Amino acid sequence: MALPKHADRLERIWYYTYLVLCGLIFLFLIAPILIVIPLSFNAEPYFTFTEKMLAFDPTGYSSRWYDMLLTFGMADGSAARDGSWWADVWENSAWVNAAKNSVIIGFFSTILATCLGTLAALGLSRPEMPFRRVIMAVLISPMIVPIIITATGLFFFYSKTGLANSYVGIIMAHATLGIPFVIITVTATLVGFDHSLTRAAANLGADPTTTFFRITMPLILPGVISGALFAFVTSFDEVVVVLFVAAHDQQTIPRQMWNGIREQISPAILAVATILVVISILLLTTIELLRRRSERLRGLSPG
Amino acid sequence: MADLTADIATGSAPGRLTTADGKPLKAALAAAESHARRRAFFLVLPLLLFVLITFIFPIVQMLHQSIYNPGFTLHRDVGTGVKTPIMINVRNWFDENERGSDPDESAYAALHKDFLLLDELRAAGSVGTRINYDMSGTRSLFTKTARRADKLTPPFQEGFLAIDKDWSDPEVWAVMRGASSAYTANFYLAAVDLTRDVKGDVVSVDDNRALYVKLFGRTLFLSLLITFLTFILAFPVAHLLATLPLRYSNLLMIFVLLPFWTSLLVRTTSWMVLLQSQGVINDALVAGSLIEDESRIQMMYNQTGTVIAMTHILLPFMILPLYSVMRTIKPVYVRAARSLGATSWTAFRRIYFPQTVPGIGAGALLVFILAVGYYITPALVGGADGQLISNLIAFHMTNSLNWSLAAALASLLLVGILILYWLYDRLIGIDNLKLG
């Protein structure tokens, strides 16, 4: 919205105020996320910029908190950093173990959510689907119902069925939480889907399975992958269900962070936060590239 | 009438339309349609079953827990899992004597028998806990009595009163009568600050113990405030994004989408870093000598912290729907209004703003639904007076272990959320929910 030439003085003032306001709101959105990055390199255990940091004195910065992420929980963190030290990190470091658990749970729940969700989205986007609206509402509801209610229900249910304290239980719960995202992204991709392509494939003699893997799948793949990424992020960021149904030794990254924040917040948390911010920047880039590819494939916009 | 018969006549005539294999066209079409319907349904079925097991069943279980508490009727041994009915004799006495009748010697004798069983099962603590939910301070009454039950001899009434005079309190007996049925609505009463008096009538609890209605009110108020703040902040930004050329707005969109993709815990941690009294904002204010070093502003562990952090976290959920609606508004309407003599303010108020209302509705409803059930952020930055209803549910689940009350509170919250969800589906449609 460029300012027209005939704008009067008041309109000009208002226009520039508006731009400044927007700038401030963008700052409000992004600053809290970026501020943790420099602070995680603080040499002192404080949550603010020290004078040395402000003067860009190299001694004010250090990577000690990143080092602590590795050594915390190790049998002998101060030993010489050779092969056995790294083996010790892999075996015993609390954060490394939490990361391993998070990745395992995230991986399997994503696979589960993506497979089931994509299948269901294919069914839901057919015009002849019965009770479409109600079923859609039920399948999206895990995203709308507060996580504390889901966790409470799962706690009662799992303690009755013996799924509590098991990986299977957490993976199933996380898959449920990720499913709405898969359904939303895949149905969005299917909205612009040209069904004459599948009919053409059938006409040329392809059976439904071949048609799906050769025609439909490549076209909806961007939507499936972004849905899968959403599901993975949901699992990777989920703490309440894990707190309620997981065993004490089943630490995940968010749970470890939660404990760290509640008990004694140290800049090590900021180091983790920085790593997670970098991961989310990578994810956002991937999603954006996928979106452009999907639009190009479907010929929606010049991208 | 004549037409109808004519239709039927042609329908059954030998020259009617059939498929190649001789089936009537109508029947063949119906069969094909129902086949297509079944195929669509079978694609959805696996997920539907999965969600039923991992989501709907647990919620139903929670609803059941909110009206069912067998703490006074059934004992389950933690080690062996064996279930034993308890308090049978006193429950029988309650069945035989109507509400309000004073406990006589037979009542105390029944109670004695039950206490002998409790002592044997070591279950007095859990029974006391159940009674304690309805009348605080009674748990020790049960544990104490169970320890001495085997030494009691008739007359039992005096024996019980010798252990503790509270056994003559009609309220204890009224509460035990209330708990003698495992199915009860008492937890819902407790969740809205009501209780039953000795006569069994519903009355409100003492003002100093009333907590939940106030908390529901605060949750509503803070959610409305946060929704309003996100609207105020989202409107100009969404407008800018919608009116800029696509190559700039795609770039600026990163500012909205990056917070959306960043871990909730990371964003909450960042706010803790910023808002602490020794944190970045206070330090900057002190350095700029806007405030004194001694009078640092307390922005965390109170409502301010909850509101600031939640507004930031929920802002993308307001910007995205607003943006997608504003994108579709054609600038020619505003230009037409201007050329007809409207001032820019009038053109905005009468022409532009009304067209954004669907986006405002979608964003506001979504933000409000998410805010009402928020747990993590208030738990970490909320302190004592920034807690929402979810935090109390978590407290009863993990600390006070009053699961039935937690379930009752959660059920009330769930009903509210489902009404809003239904409204959202009605007004906006679930299909129109977009992510990024």
Side-chain angles (χ1 to χ4, degrees), chain B residues 345-372:
Chain B
W345 166 242
T346 314
F348 172 77
R349 188 171 55 90
R350 303 271 307 266
I351 307 297
Y352 192 79
F353 187 76
Q355 297 185 75
T356 62
V357 167
I360 298 174
L365 213 49
L366 190 60
V367 169
F368 187 76
I369 290 176
L370 294 174
V372 165

PDB file of all heavy atoms in Angstrom, chain B residues 345-372:
ATOM      1  N   TRP B 345     -10.493   7.705   6.726  1.00  0.00           N
ATOM      2  CA  TRP B 345     -11.033   7.038   7.916  1.00  0.00           C
ATOM      3  C   TRP B 345     -12.410   6.443   7.633  1.00  0.00           C
ATOM      4  O   TRP B 345     -12.680   5.292   7.994  1.00  0.00           O
ATOM      5  CB  TRP B 345     -11.058   8.030   9.080  1.00  0.00           C
ATOM      6  CG  TRP B 345     -11.884   7.598  10.253  1.00  0.00           C
ATOM      7  CD1 TRP B 345     -12.973   8.226  10.754  1.00  0.00           C
ATOM      8  CD2 TRP B 345     -11.698   6.439  11.065  1.00  0.00           C
ATOM      9  NE1 TRP B 345     -13.473   7.551  11.820  1.00  0.00           N
ATOM     10  CE2 TRP B 345     -12.713   6.439  12.036  1.00  0.00           C
ATOM     11  CE3 TRP B 345     -10.770   5.385  11.055  1.00  0.00           C
ATOM     12  CZ2 TRP B 345     -12.829   5.443  12.990  1.00  0.00           C
ATOM     13  CZ3 TRP B 345     -10.899   4.386  12.022  1.00  0.00           C
ATOM     14  CH2 TRP B 345     -11.911   4.426  12.969  1.00  0.00           C
ATOM     15  N   THR B 346     -13.260   7.220   6.971  1.00  0.00           N
ATOM     16  CA  THR B 346     -14.595   6.706   6.648  1.00  0.00           C
ATOM     17  C   THR B 346     -14.478   5.507   5.716  1.00  0.00           C
ATOM     18  O   THR B 346     -15.176   4.502   5.887  1.00  0.00           O
ATOM     19  CB  THR B 346     -15.443   7.800   5.970  1.00  0.00           C
ATOM     20  OG1 THR B 346     -15.302   8.995   6.706  1.00  0.00           O
ATOM     21  CG2 THR B 346     -16.891   7.401   5.902  1.00  0.00           C
ATOM     22  N   ALA B 347     -13.607   5.617   4.715  1.00  0.00           N
ATOM     23  CA  ALA B 347     -13.446   4.506   3.778  1.00  0.00           C
ATOM     24  C   ALA B 347     -13.004   3.251   4.514  1.00  0.00           C
ATOM     25  O   ALA B 347     -13.491   2.151   4.254  1.00  0.00           O
ATOM     26  CB  ALA B 347     -12.425   4.871   2.708  1.00  0.00           C
ATOM     27  N   PHE B 348     -12.100   3.422   5.480  1.00  0.00           N
ATOM     28  CA  PHE B 348     -11.653   2.270   6.251  1.00  0.00           C
ATOM     29  C   PHE B 348     -12.796   1.697   7.082  1.00  0.00           C
ATOM     30  O   PHE B 348     -13.039   0.494   7.090  1.00  0.00           O
ATOM     31  CB  PHE B 348     -10.492   2.695   7.160  1.00  0.00           C
ATOM     32  CG  PHE B 348     -10.094   1.629   8.135  1.00  0.00           C
ATOM     33  CD1 PHE B 348      -9.330   0.548   7.729  1.00  0.00           C
ATOM     34  CD2 PHE B 348     -10.506   1.699   9.464  1.00  0.00           C
ATOM     35  CE1 PHE B 348      -8.979  -0.433   8.617  1.00  0.00           C
ATOM     36  CE2 PHE B 348     -10.163   0.714  10.352  1.00  0.00           C
ATOM     37  CZ  PHE B 348      -9.386  -0.360   9.936  1.00  0.00           C
ATOM     38  N   ARG B 349     -13.501   2.585   7.773  1.00  0.00           N
ATOM     39  CA  ARG B 349     -14.509   2.159   8.733  1.00  0.00           C
ATOM     40  C   ARG B 349     -15.725   1.533   8.032  1.00  0.00           C
ATOM     41  O   ARG B 349     -16.251   0.518   8.470  1.00  0.00           O
ATOM     42  CB  ARG B 349     -14.946   3.369   9.552  1.00  0.00           C
ATOM     43  CG  ARG B 349     -15.857   3.073  10.725  1.00  0.00           C
ATOM     44  CD  ARG B 349     -16.019   4.323  11.570  1.00  0.00           C
ATOM     45  NE  ARG B 349     -16.487   5.454  10.777  1.00  0.00           N
ATOM     46  CZ  ARG B 349     -17.784   5.744  10.601  1.00  0.00           C
ATOM     47  NH1 ARG B 349     -18.709   5.014  11.156  1.00  0.00           N
ATOM     48  NH2 ARG B 349     -18.147   6.775   9.870  1.00  0.00           N
ATOM     49  N   ARG B 350     -16.155   2.151   6.916  1.00  0.00           N
ATOM     50  CA  ARG B 350     -17.394   1.710   6.283  1.00  0.00           C
ATOM     51  C   ARG B 350     -17.155   0.659   5.202  1.00  0.00           C
ATOM     52  O   ARG B 350     -18.049  -0.126   4.908  1.00  0.00           O
ATOM     53  CB  ARG B 350     -18.132   2.905   5.676  1.00  0.00           C
ATOM     54  CG  ARG B 350     -18.465   4.015   6.663  1.00  0.00           C
ATOM     55  CD  ARG B 350     -19.813   3.803   7.324  1.00  0.00           C
ATOM     56  NE  ARG B 350     -20.895   3.605   6.377  1.00  0.00           N
ATOM     57  CZ  ARG B 350     -21.673   4.588   5.936  1.00  0.00           C
ATOM     58  NH1 ARG B 350     -21.475   5.803   6.329  1.00  0.00           N
ATOM     59  NH2 ARG B 350     -22.647   4.315   5.092  1.00  0.00           N
ATOM     60  N   ILE B 351     -15.984   0.656   4.578  1.00  0.00           N
ATOM     61  CA  ILE B 351     -15.767  -0.234   3.433  1.00  0.00           C
ATOM     62  C   ILE B 351     -14.773  -1.351   3.756  1.00  0.00           C
ATOM     63  O   ILE B 351     -15.068  -2.523   3.584  1.00  0.00           O
ATOM     64  CB  ILE B 351     -15.241   0.569   2.209  1.00  0.00           C
ATOM     65  CG1 ILE B 351     -16.155   1.727   1.911  1.00  0.00           C
ATOM     66  CG2 ILE B 351     -15.061  -0.346   1.004  1.00  0.00           C
ATOM     67  CD1 ILE B 351     -17.561   1.342   1.504  1.00  0.00           C
ATOM     68  N   TYR B 352     -13.594  -0.982   4.257  1.00  0.00           N
ATOM     69  CA  TYR B 352     -12.547  -2.002   4.429  1.00  0.00           C
ATOM     70  C   TYR B 352     -12.824  -2.900   5.627  1.00  0.00           C
ATOM     71  O   TYR B 352     -12.855  -4.128   5.506  1.00  0.00           O
ATOM     72  CB  TYR B 352     -11.182  -1.326   4.576  1.00  0.00           C
ATOM     73  CG  TYR B 352     -10.043  -2.315   4.470  1.00  0.00           C
ATOM     74  CD1 TYR B 352      -9.617  -2.774   3.237  1.00  0.00           C
ATOM     75  CD2 TYR B 352      -9.431  -2.808   5.609  1.00  0.00           C
ATOM     76  CE1 TYR B 352      -8.602  -3.688   3.128  1.00  0.00           C
ATOM     77  CE2 TYR B 352      -8.401  -3.726   5.513  1.00  0.00           C
ATOM     78  CZ  TYR B 352      -7.993  -4.161   4.267  1.00  0.00           C
ATOM     79  OH  TYR B 352      -6.991  -5.073   4.167  1.00  0.00           O
ATOM     80  N   PHE B 353     -13.045  -2.274   6.780  1.00  0.00           N
ATOM     81  CA  PHE B 353     -13.177  -3.045   8.014  1.00  0.00           C
ATOM     82  C   PHE B 353     -14.288  -4.101   7.955  1.00  0.00           C
ATOM     83  O   PHE B 353     -14.056  -5.254   8.340  1.00  0.00           O
ATOM     84  CB  PHE B 353     -13.376  -2.095   9.201  1.00  0.00           C
ATOM     85  CG  PHE B 353     -13.352  -2.782  10.521  1.00  0.00           C
ATOM     86  CD1 PHE B 353     -12.150  -3.194  11.083  1.00  0.00           C
ATOM     87  CD2 PHE B 353     -14.521  -3.045  11.208  1.00  0.00           C
ATOM     88  CE1 PHE B 353     -12.122  -3.841  12.292  1.00  0.00           C
ATOM     89  CE2 PHE B 353     -14.499  -3.698  12.418  1.00  0.00           C
ATOM     90  CZ  PHE B 353     -13.302  -4.085  12.955  1.00  0.00           C
ATOM     91  N   PRO B 354     -15.505  -3.745   7.466  1.00  0.00           N
ATOM     92  CA  PRO B 354     -16.558  -4.775   7.444  1.00  0.00           C
ATOM     93  C   PRO B 354     -16.163  -6.014   6.638  1.00  0.00           C
ATOM     94  O   PRO B 354     -16.611  -7.114   6.947  1.00  0.00           O
ATOM     95  CB  PRO B 354     -17.734  -4.046   6.777  1.00  0.00           C
ATOM     96  CG  PRO B 354     -17.503  -2.628   7.062  1.00  0.00           C
ATOM     97  CD  PRO B 354     -16.019  -2.437   7.033  1.00  0.00           C
ATOM     98  N   GLN B 355     -15.305  -5.823   5.640  1.00  0.00           N
ATOM     99  CA  GLN B 355     -14.912  -6.984   4.826  1.00  0.00           C
ATOM    100  C   GLN B 355     -13.916  -7.884   5.548  1.00  0.00           C
ATOM    101  O   GLN B 355     -13.708  -9.027   5.152  1.00  0.00           O
ATOM    102  CB  GLN B 355     -14.307  -6.514   3.503  1.00  0.00           C
ATOM    103  CG  GLN B 355     -15.293  -5.757   2.648  1.00  0.00           C
ATOM    104  CD  GLN B 355     -14.698  -5.412   1.298  1.00  0.00           C
ATOM    105  OE1 GLN B 355     -14.563  -6.262   0.435  1.00  0.00           O
ATOM    106  NE2 GLN B 355     -14.307  -4.170   1.128  1.00  0.00           N
ATOM    107  N   THR B 356     -13.263  -7.364   6.595  1.00  0.00           N
ATOM    108  CA  THR B 356     -12.291  -8.183   7.314  1.00  0.00           C
ATOM    109  C   THR B 356     -12.942  -8.990   8.435  1.00  0.00           C
ATOM    110  O   THR B 356     -12.277  -9.815   9.063  1.00  0.00           O
ATOM    111  CB  THR B 356     -11.190  -7.316   7.950  1.00  0.00           C
ATOM    112  OG1 THR B 356     -11.796  -6.446   8.904  1.00  0.00           O
ATOM    113  CG2 THR B 356     -10.461  -6.493   6.922  1.00  0.00           C
ATOM    114  N   VAL B 357     -14.231  -8.730   8.692  1.00  0.00           N
ATOM    115  CA  VAL B 357     -14.877  -9.363   9.856  1.00  0.00           C
ATOM    116  C   VAL B 357     -14.775 -10.897   9.846  1.00  0.00           C
ATOM    117  O   VAL B 357     -14.495 -11.495  10.887  1.00  0.00           O
ATOM    118  CB  VAL B 357     -16.330  -8.862   9.998  1.00  0.00           C
ATOM    119  CG1 VAL B 357     -17.111  -9.712  10.969  1.00  0.00           C
ATOM    120  CG2 VAL B 357     -16.332  -7.417  10.470  1.00  0.00           C
ATOM    121  N   PRO B 358     -14.960 -11.581   8.697  1.00  0.00           N
ATOM    122  CA  PRO B 358     -14.810 -13.051   8.739  1.00  0.00           C
ATOM    123  C   PRO B 358     -13.439 -13.484   9.263  1.00  0.00           C
ATOM    124  O   PRO B 358     -13.346 -14.435  10.053  1.00  0.00           O
ATOM    125  CB  PRO B 358     -14.985 -13.462   7.278  1.00  0.00           C
ATOM    126  CG  PRO B 358     -15.740 -12.360   6.640  1.00  0.00           C
ATOM    127  CD  PRO B 358     -15.371 -11.113   7.364  1.00  0.00           C
ATOM    128  N   GLY B 359     -12.387 -12.779   8.841  1.00  0.00           N
ATOM    129  CA  GLY B 359     -11.046 -13.105   9.323  1.00  0.00           C
ATOM    130  C   GLY B 359     -10.897 -12.852  10.804  1.00  0.00           C
ATOM    131  O   GLY B 359     -10.287 -13.637  11.531  1.00  0.00           O
ATOM    132  N   ILE B 360     -11.466 -11.733  11.272  1.00  0.00           N
ATOM    133  CA  ILE B 360     -11.397 -11.418  12.700  1.00  0.00           C
ATOM    134  C   ILE B 360     -12.108 -12.515  13.485  1.00  0.00           C
ATOM    135  O   ILE B 360     -11.601 -13.003  14.498  1.00  0.00           O
ATOM    136  CB  ILE B 360     -12.045 -10.050  12.990  1.00  0.00           C
ATOM    137  CG1 ILE B 360     -11.299  -8.949  12.248  1.00  0.00           C
ATOM    138  CG2 ILE B 360     -12.050  -9.769  14.489  1.00  0.00           C
ATOM    139  CD1 ILE B 360     -11.957  -7.595  12.372  1.00  0.00           C
ATOM    140  N   GLY B 361     -13.286 -12.926  12.996  1.00  0.00           N
ATOM    141  CA  GLY B 361     -14.043 -13.969  13.684  1.00  0.00           C
ATOM    142  C   GLY B 361     -13.246 -15.256  13.784  1.00  0.00           C
ATOM    143  O   GLY B 361     -13.110 -15.849  14.861  1.00  0.00           O
ATOM    144  N   ALA B 362     -12.662 -15.670  12.639  1.00  0.00           N
ATOM    145  CA  ALA B 362     -11.907 -16.925  12.622  1.00  0.00           C
ATOM    146  C   ALA B 362     -10.719 -16.848  13.568  1.00  0.00           C
ATOM    147  O   ALA B 362     -10.508 -17.739  14.395  1.00  0.00           O
ATOM    148  CB  ALA B 362     -11.436 -17.218  11.200  1.00  0.00           C
ATOM    149  N   GLY B 363      -9.953 -15.757  13.476  1.00  0.00           N
ATOM    150  CA  GLY B 363      -8.767 -15.622  14.312  1.00  0.00           C
ATOM    151  C   GLY B 363      -9.118 -15.530  15.785  1.00  0.00           C
ATOM    152  O   GLY B 363      -8.520 -16.207  16.624  1.00  0.00           O
ATOM    153  N   ALA B 364     -10.136 -14.706  16.100  1.00  0.00           N
ATOM    154  CA  ALA B 364     -10.490 -14.492  17.504  1.00  0.00           C
ATOM    155  C   ALA B 364     -10.971 -15.792  18.143  1.00  0.00           C
ATOM    156  O   ALA B 364     -10.564 -16.140  19.255  1.00  0.00           O
ATOM    157  CB  ALA B 364     -11.559 -13.413  17.620  1.00  0.00           C
ATOM    158  N   LEU B 365     -11.799 -16.528  17.410  1.00  0.00           N
ATOM    159  CA  LEU B 365     -12.328 -17.775  17.964  1.00  0.00           C
ATOM    160  C   LEU B 365     -11.198 -18.778  18.198  1.00  0.00           C
ATOM    161  O   LEU B 365     -11.133 -19.430  19.246  1.00  0.00           O
ATOM    162  CB  LEU B 365     -13.369 -18.339  16.990  1.00  0.00           C
ATOM    163  CG  LEU B 365     -14.535 -19.091  17.601  1.00  0.00           C
ATOM    164  CD1 LEU B 365     -15.149 -18.295  18.726  1.00  0.00           C
ATOM    165  CD2 LEU B 365     -15.586 -19.372  16.541  1.00  0.00           C
ATOM    166  N   LEU B 366     -10.291 -18.852  17.216  1.00  0.00           N
ATOM    167  CA  LEU B 366      -9.181 -19.811  17.334  1.00  0.00           C
ATOM    168  C   LEU B 366      -8.281 -19.437  18.514  1.00  0.00           C
ATOM    169  O   LEU B 366      -7.939 -20.280  19.351  1.00  0.00           O
ATOM    170  CB  LEU B 366      -8.384 -19.813  16.030  1.00  0.00           C
ATOM    171  CG  LEU B 366      -7.349 -20.918  15.889  1.00  0.00           C
ATOM    172  CD1 LEU B 366      -8.027 -22.267  15.961  1.00  0.00           C
ATOM    173  CD2 LEU B 366      -6.596 -20.785  14.572  1.00  0.00           C
ATOM    174  N   VAL B 367      -7.921 -18.159  18.611  1.00  0.00           N
ATOM    175  CA  VAL B 367      -7.046 -17.719  19.707  1.00  0.00           C
ATOM    176  C   VAL B 367      -7.731 -17.944  21.047  1.00  0.00           C
ATOM    177  O   VAL B 367      -7.118 -18.436  21.996  1.00  0.00           O
ATOM    178  CB  VAL B 367      -6.661 -16.232  19.530  1.00  0.00           C
ATOM    179  CG1 VAL B 367      -5.997 -15.695  20.784  1.00  0.00           C
ATOM    180  CG2 VAL B 367      -5.753 -16.059  18.338  1.00  0.00           C
ATOM    181  N   PHE B 368      -9.026 -17.633  21.103  1.00  0.00           N
ATOM    182  CA  PHE B 368      -9.735 -17.787  22.375  1.00  0.00           C
ATOM    183  C   PHE B 368      -9.780 -19.260  22.793  1.00  0.00           C
ATOM    184  O   PHE B 368      -9.491 -19.595  23.948  1.00  0.00           O
ATOM    185  CB  PHE B 368     -11.146 -17.223  22.251  1.00  0.00           C
ATOM    186  CG  PHE B 368     -11.890 -17.197  23.554  1.00  0.00           C
ATOM    187  CD1 PHE B 368     -11.601 -16.242  24.509  1.00  0.00           C
ATOM    188  CD2 PHE B 368     -12.853 -18.145  23.830  1.00  0.00           C
ATOM    189  CE1 PHE B 368     -12.264 -16.218  25.719  1.00  0.00           C
ATOM    190  CE2 PHE B 368     -13.520 -18.136  25.043  1.00  0.00           C
ATOM    191  CZ  PHE B 368     -13.229 -17.175  25.984  1.00  0.00           C
ATOM    192  N   ILE B 369     -10.088 -20.142  21.831  1.00  0.00           N
ATOM    193  CA  ILE B 369     -10.151 -21.577  22.142  1.00  0.00           C
ATOM    194  C   ILE B 369      -8.795 -22.054  22.669  1.00  0.00           C
ATOM    195  O   ILE B 369      -8.714 -22.765  23.668  1.00  0.00           O
ATOM    196  CB  ILE B 369     -10.546 -22.397  20.894  1.00  0.00           C
ATOM    197  CG1 ILE B 369     -12.000 -22.138  20.534  1.00  0.00           C
ATOM    198  CG2 ILE B 369     -10.338 -23.880  21.120  1.00  0.00           C
ATOM    199  CD1 ILE B 369     -12.453 -22.823  19.258  1.00  0.00           C
ATOM    200  N   LEU B 370      -7.720 -21.629  21.995  1.00  0.00           N
ATOM    201  CA  LEU B 370      -6.393 -22.084  22.417  1.00  0.00           C
ATOM    202  C   LEU B 370      -6.015 -21.480  23.770  1.00  0.00           C
ATOM    203  O   LEU B 370      -5.405 -22.144  24.606  1.00  0.00           O
ATOM    204  CB  LEU B 370      -5.350 -21.718  21.364  1.00  0.00           C
ATOM    205  CG  LEU B 370      -5.507 -22.433  20.022  1.00  0.00           C
ATOM    206  CD1 LEU B 370      -4.520 -21.908  19.016  1.00  0.00           C
ATOM    207  CD2 LEU B 370      -5.324 -23.933  20.186  1.00  0.00           C
ATOM    208  N   ALA B 371      -6.400 -20.218  23.994  1.00  0.00           N
ATOM    209  CA  ALA B 371      -6.001 -19.540  25.239  1.00  0.00           C
ATOM    210  C   ALA B 371      -6.692 -20.151  26.454  1.00  0.00           C
ATOM    211  O   ALA B 371      -6.070 -20.318  27.510  1.00  0.00           O
ATOM    212  CB  ALA B 371      -6.314 -18.048  25.142  1.00  0.00           C
ATOM    213  N   VAL B 372      -7.965 -20.495  26.305  1.00  0.00           N
ATOM    214  CA  VAL B 372      -8.730 -20.997  27.456  1.00  0.00           C
ATOM    215  C   VAL B 372      -8.085 -22.258  28.040  1.00  0.00           C
ATOM    216  O   VAL B 372      -8.075 -22.461  29.246  1.00  0.00           O
ATOM    217  CB  VAL B 372     -10.199 -21.257  27.042  1.00  0.00           C
ATOM    218  CG1 VAL B 372     -10.913 -22.104  28.057  1.00  0.00           C
ATOM    219  CG2 VAL B 372     -10.922 -19.945  26.885  1.00  0.00           C
TER     220      VAL B 372
END
